[in-house]
Amino acid sequence: MVLLGDTFPNFTAQTNIGEIDFHNWLGDSWGILFSHPNDFTPVCTTELARVVKLFPEFQRMGIKIIALSCDSVDSHLRWISDIKAYGEINDNGFPYPIIADQSRDLAITLGMLDPSELNSEGLPVSARTVFIIDPLKKMRLSILYPASTGRNFDEILRVVESLQLTEKYKVATPVDWKKGQPVMILPTVNDDEAKQTYGNNIKTLCLPSGKSYLRIVPQPTD
Ligand code: BEZ
């Protein structure tokens, strides 16, 4: 099981675009690996189509996307036609690779199984995991949805946006934050450093404790 902050394990895998070495494929980009129970399943088909639609946005943010489903490359190639038809996607090709994990070895190694959802052979299917990996190959987010619930990819984009802001500007994003809204200075940044960076843009809330830890600034941009 990979924990937050761990180096994400490297692996080689077959995909619809050939064999990949995961770390080489990632290079120095951020990456998202998201898993699926099987090809030709309804929820998965909607998710992969949605990610095709969001792909330009992920690209703009410097994020490489890769899916995993517990079926063969041949099956993936046939499934891609369905995904494109469902999503009314007319472009040639498919913008991101899908790992073939017919043996489920990777799903087992990466802790992706959902013991409450069994396949026709009575084996646990792969759940809907999302792993976000940073350019140093550290795992920065892990979420695990049951197989029967489709993910919200707007939320996944939101998390990446937040992670990248933290990385660049030492800020955190508050509850229900959306891109463009104010952010908070990280507790690890002292007041002097905060003042140097944000000057008079800092709004510090007065709280009953008298502690000045809620320091709000406009969302920084390049
Ligand atoms: C689906 O993708 O629709 C699905 C797959 C496995 C279990 C439940 C739903």
Side-chain angles (χ1 to χ4, degrees):
M1 175 122 177
V2 196
L3 301 176
L4 289 188
D6 285 353
T7 298
F8 201 85
N10 195 20
F11 56 82
T12 53
Q14 298 300 328
T15 76
N16 55 306
I17 56 161
E19 183 173 290
I20 60 150
D21 171 289
F22 185 58
H23 281 191
N24 280 346
W25 175 82
L26 269 176
D28 55 8
S29 293
W30 287 79
I32 294 181
L33 167 57
F34 67 117
S35 70
H36 297 269
N38 286 110
D39 298 359
F40 304 107
T41 47
V43 177
C44 301
T45 303
T46 64
E47 288 187 326
L48 275 97
R50 172 84 174 123
V51 174
V52 172
K53 296 270 166 63
L54 290 175
F55 189 77
E57 185 66 4
F58 284 118
Q59 241 183 345
R60 188 191 61 73
M61 295 167 77
I63 303 160
K64 286 191 162 178
I65 301 283
I66 193 162
L68 175 151
S69 178
C70 295
D71 281 300
S72 66
V73 168
D74 277 354
S75 168
H76 288 357
L77 291 170
R78 282 179 276 118
W79 186 31
I80 282 171
S81 302
D82 282 6
I83 296 164
K84 289 170 70 172
Y86 168 78
E88 299 179 356
I89 298 152
N90 299 316
D91 306 351
N92 288 329
F94 196 73
Y96 57 87
I98 310 175
I99 295 170
D101 189 27
Q102 208 171 1
S103 65
R104 304 181 329 136
D105 286 351
L106 257 182
I108 293 166
T109 306
L110 297 174
M112 292 171 162
L113 296 188
D114 179 354
S116 66
E117 194 79 49
L118 305 180
N119 66 15
S120 53
E121 292 148 39
L123 298 170
V125 301
S126 156
R128 297 184 195 283
T129 54
V130 182
F131 297 128
I132 299 182
I133 301 147
D134 74 13
L136 298 176
K137 316 278 185 300
K138 303 281 183 212
M139 189 166 81
R140 300 294 296 275
L141 169 134
S142 161
I143 51 181
L144 183 57
Y145 277 54
S148 50
T149 306
R151 285 158 282 205
N152 181 332
F153 281 89
D154 289 328
E155 169 61 6
I156 292 162
L157 267 177
R158 194 187 77 94
V159 178
V160 182
E161 199 83 54
S162 169
L163 281 168
Q164 292 188 338
L165 280 173
T166 304
E167 207 61 24
K168 260 185 167 168
Y169 302 109
K170 298 190 186 170
V171 293
T173 54
V175 61
D176 295 338
W177 175 83
K178 289 199 179 76
K179 188 176 170 184
Q181 292 179 344
V183 298
M184 350 273 292
I185 298 171
L186 284 183
T188 48
V189 176
N190 67 37
D191 282 342
D192 287 342
E193 196 190 334
K195 184 106 185 123
Q196 268 173 27
T197 312
Y198 295 103
N200 292 330
N201 283 331
I202 307 171
K203 180 177 159 201
T204 304
L205 297 196
C206 293
L207 298 164
S209 66
K211 296 179 193 291
S212 51
Y213 58 93
L214 256 164
R215 299 170 298 174
I216 301 170
V217 289
Q219 181 194 312
T221 48
D222 285 331

mmCIF file of all heavy atoms in Angstrom, residues 119-136:
data_model
loop_
_atom_site.group_PDB
_atom_site.id
_atom_site.type_symbol
_atom_site.label_atom_id
_atom_site.label_comp_id
_atom_site.label_asym_id
_atom_site.label_seq_id
_atom_site.Cartn_x
_atom_site.Cartn_y
_atom_site.Cartn_z
ATOM 1 N N ASN A 119 -16.344 -9.979 -8.856
ATOM 2 C CA ASN A 119 -16.645 -10.228 -10.269
ATOM 3 C C ASN A 119 -17.328 -11.587 -10.428
ATOM 4 O O ASN A 119 -17.621 -12.267 -9.427
ATOM 5 C CB ASN A 119 -15.380 -10.098 -11.138
ATOM 6 C CG ASN A 119 -14.352 -11.178 -10.839
ATOM 7 O OD1 ASN A 119 -14.669 -12.182 -10.195
ATOM 8 N ND2 ASN A 119 -13.128 -10.978 -11.294
ATOM 9 N N SER A 120 -17.552 -11.998 -11.693
ATOM 10 C CA SER A 120 -18.323 -13.232 -11.921
ATOM 11 C C SER A 120 -17.585 -14.463 -11.402
ATOM 12 O O SER A 120 -18.182 -15.508 -11.168
ATOM 13 C CB SER A 120 -18.622 -13.374 -13.413
ATOM 14 O OG SER A 120 -17.413 -13.278 -14.122
ATOM 15 N N GLU A 121 -16.257 -14.323 -11.212
ATOM 16 C CA GLU A 121 -15.502 -15.461 -10.629
ATOM 17 C C GLU A 121 -15.411 -15.370 -9.111
ATOM 18 O O GLU A 121 -14.682 -16.129 -8.477
ATOM 19 C CB GLU A 121 -14.081 -15.484 -11.224
ATOM 20 C CG GLU A 121 -14.040 -15.839 -12.696
ATOM 21 C CD GLU A 121 -12.881 -15.133 -13.405
ATOM 22 O OE1 GLU A 121 -11.794 -15.022 -12.822
ATOM 23 O OE2 GLU A 121 -13.108 -14.685 -14.526
ATOM 24 N N GLY A 122 -16.094 -14.397 -8.520
ATOM 25 C CA GLY A 122 -16.091 -14.252 -7.062
ATOM 26 C C GLY A 122 -14.856 -13.541 -6.528
ATOM 27 O O GLY A 122 -14.596 -13.531 -5.320
ATOM 28 N N LEU A 123 -14.079 -12.900 -7.428
ATOM 29 C CA LEU A 123 -12.863 -12.186 -6.987
ATOM 30 C C LEU A 123 -13.155 -10.700 -6.820
ATOM 31 O O LEU A 123 -13.949 -10.142 -7.601
ATOM 32 C CB LEU A 123 -11.749 -12.357 -8.029
ATOM 33 C CG LEU A 123 -11.296 -13.797 -8.263
ATOM 34 C CD1 LEU A 123 -10.376 -13.867 -9.479
ATOM 35 C CD2 LEU A 123 -10.590 -14.326 -7.020
ATOM 36 N N PRO A 124 -12.515 -10.044 -5.829
ATOM 37 C CA PRO A 124 -12.752 -8.603 -5.667
ATOM 38 C C PRO A 124 -12.325 -7.840 -6.917
ATOM 39 O O PRO A 124 -11.252 -8.115 -7.467
ATOM 40 C CB PRO A 124 -11.858 -8.206 -4.484
ATOM 41 C CG PRO A 124 -11.321 -9.455 -3.910
ATOM 42 C CD PRO A 124 -11.547 -10.580 -4.872
ATOM 43 N N VAL A 125 -13.162 -6.915 -7.360
ATOM 44 C CA VAL A 125 -12.807 -6.120 -8.537
ATOM 45 C C VAL A 125 -11.912 -4.960 -8.102
ATOM 46 O O VAL A 125 -11.825 -4.630 -6.917
ATOM 47 C CB VAL A 125 -14.056 -5.574 -9.272
ATOM 48 C CG1 VAL A 125 -14.958 -6.701 -9.711
ATOM 49 C CG2 VAL A 125 -14.802 -4.556 -8.423
ATOM 50 N N SER A 126 -11.291 -4.338 -9.086
ATOM 51 C CA SER A 126 -10.483 -3.153 -8.794
ATOM 52 C C SER A 126 -11.439 -1.995 -8.515
ATOM 53 O O SER A 126 -12.408 -1.792 -9.231
ATOM 54 C CB SER A 126 -9.588 -2.883 -10.001
ATOM 55 O OG SER A 126 -9.221 -1.551 -10.026
ATOM 56 N N ALA A 127 -11.160 -1.265 -7.451
ATOM 57 C CA ALA A 127 -12.003 -0.118 -7.099
ATOM 58 C C ALA A 127 -11.617 1.073 -7.964
ATOM 59 O O ALA A 127 -10.738 0.977 -8.817
ATOM 60 C CB ALA A 127 -11.799 0.218 -5.630
ATOM 61 N N ARG A 128 -12.272 2.197 -7.713
ATOM 62 C CA ARG A 128 -11.939 3.420 -8.457
ATOM 63 C C ARG A 128 -10.945 4.217 -7.639
ATOM 64 O O ARG A 128 -11.333 5.058 -6.831
ATOM 65 C CB ARG A 128 -13.204 4.245 -8.706
ATOM 66 C CG ARG A 128 -14.187 3.516 -9.553
ATOM 67 C CD ARG A 128 -15.413 4.312 -9.899
ATOM 68 N NE ARG A 128 -16.386 3.364 -10.399
ATOM 69 C CZ ARG A 128 -16.350 2.827 -11.611
ATOM 70 N NH1 ARG A 128 -15.403 3.170 -12.449
ATOM 71 N NH2 ARG A 128 -17.246 1.936 -11.974
ATOM 72 N N THR A 129 -9.677 3.909 -7.820
ATOM 73 C CA THR A 129 -8.653 4.683 -7.103
ATOM 74 C C THR A 129 -8.219 5.855 -7.975
ATOM 75 O O THR A 129 -8.273 5.791 -9.201
ATOM 76 C CB THR A 129 -7.402 3.843 -6.805
ATOM 77 O OG1 THR A 129 -6.942 3.281 -8.013
ATOM 78 C CG2 THR A 129 -7.664 2.760 -5.810
ATOM 79 N N VAL A 130 -7.771 6.911 -7.313
ATOM 80 C CA VAL A 130 -7.089 8.012 -8.002
ATOM 81 C C VAL A 130 -5.807 8.262 -7.229
ATOM 82 O O VAL A 130 -5.845 8.428 -6.004
ATOM 83 C CB VAL A 130 -7.913 9.318 -7.981
ATOM 84 C CG1 VAL A 130 -7.182 10.417 -8.751
ATOM 85 C CG2 VAL A 130 -9.293 9.115 -8.555
ATOM 86 N N PHE A 131 -4.686 8.225 -7.919
ATOM 87 C CA PHE A 131 -3.405 8.582 -7.313
ATOM 88 C C PHE A 131 -2.883 9.805 -8.047
ATOM 89 O O PHE A 131 -2.818 9.801 -9.279
ATOM 90 C CB PHE A 131 -2.379 7.453 -7.466
ATOM 91 C CG PHE A 131 -2.760 6.166 -6.771
ATOM 92 C CD1 PHE A 131 -2.754 4.960 -7.454
ATOM 93 C CD2 PHE A 131 -3.104 6.153 -5.426
ATOM 94 C CE1 PHE A 131 -3.099 3.770 -6.821
ATOM 95 C CE2 PHE A 131 -3.447 4.963 -4.781
ATOM 96 C CZ PHE A 131 -3.446 3.772 -5.480
ATOM 97 N N ILE A 132 -2.527 10.836 -7.282
ATOM 98 C CA ILE A 132 -1.853 11.994 -7.888
ATOM 99 C C ILE A 132 -0.388 11.941 -7.453
ATOM 100 O O ILE A 132 -0.084 11.796 -6.259
ATOM 101 C CB ILE A 132 -2.507 13.323 -7.470
ATOM 102 C CG1 ILE A 132 -3.974 13.354 -7.932
ATOM 103 C CG2 ILE A 132 -1.743 14.514 -8.071
ATOM 104 C CD1 ILE A 132 -4.718 14.646 -7.630
ATOM 105 N N ILE A 133 0.490 12.028 -8.432
ATOM 106 C CA ILE A 133 1.925 11.849 -8.204
ATOM 107 C C ILE A 133 2.627 13.123 -8.649
ATOM 108 O O ILE A 133 2.321 13.656 -9.723
ATOM 109 C CB ILE A 133 2.408 10.608 -9.012
ATOM 110 C CG1 ILE A 133 1.608 9.381 -8.542
ATOM 111 C CG2 ILE A 133 3.908 10.383 -8.861
ATOM 112 C CD1 ILE A 133 1.341 8.379 -9.612
ATOM 113 N N ASP A 134 3.545 13.622 -7.810
ATOM 114 C CA ASP A 134 4.184 14.901 -8.157
ATOM 115 C C ASP A 134 5.437 14.678 -8.998
ATOM 116 O O ASP A 134 5.832 13.524 -9.245
ATOM 117 C CB ASP A 134 4.418 15.752 -6.888
ATOM 118 C CG ASP A 134 5.565 15.242 -6.021
ATOM 119 O OD1 ASP A 134 6.360 14.389 -6.476
ATOM 120 O OD2 ASP A 134 5.670 15.722 -4.875
ATOM 121 N N PRO A 135 6.081 15.740 -9.472
ATOM 122 C CA PRO A 135 7.236 15.563 -10.366
ATOM 123 C C PRO A 135 8.409 14.822 -9.705
ATOM 124 O O PRO A 135 9.285 14.322 -10.405
ATOM 125 C CB PRO A 135 7.630 16.998 -10.729
ATOM 126 C CG PRO A 135 6.360 17.783 -10.577
ATOM 127 C CD PRO A 135 5.649 17.157 -9.418
ATOM 128 N N LEU A 136 8.426 14.755 -8.364
ATOM 129 C CA LEU A 136 9.486 13.974 -7.694
ATOM 130 C C LEU A 136 9.044 12.531 -7.451
ATOM 131 O O LEU A 136 9.689 11.791 -6.713
ATOM 132 C CB LEU A 136 9.877 14.639 -6.359
ATOM 133 C CG LEU A 136 10.463 16.041 -6.486
ATOM 134 C CD1 LEU A 136 10.724 16.639 -5.108
ATOM 135 C CD2 LEU A 136 11.753 16.002 -7.309
#
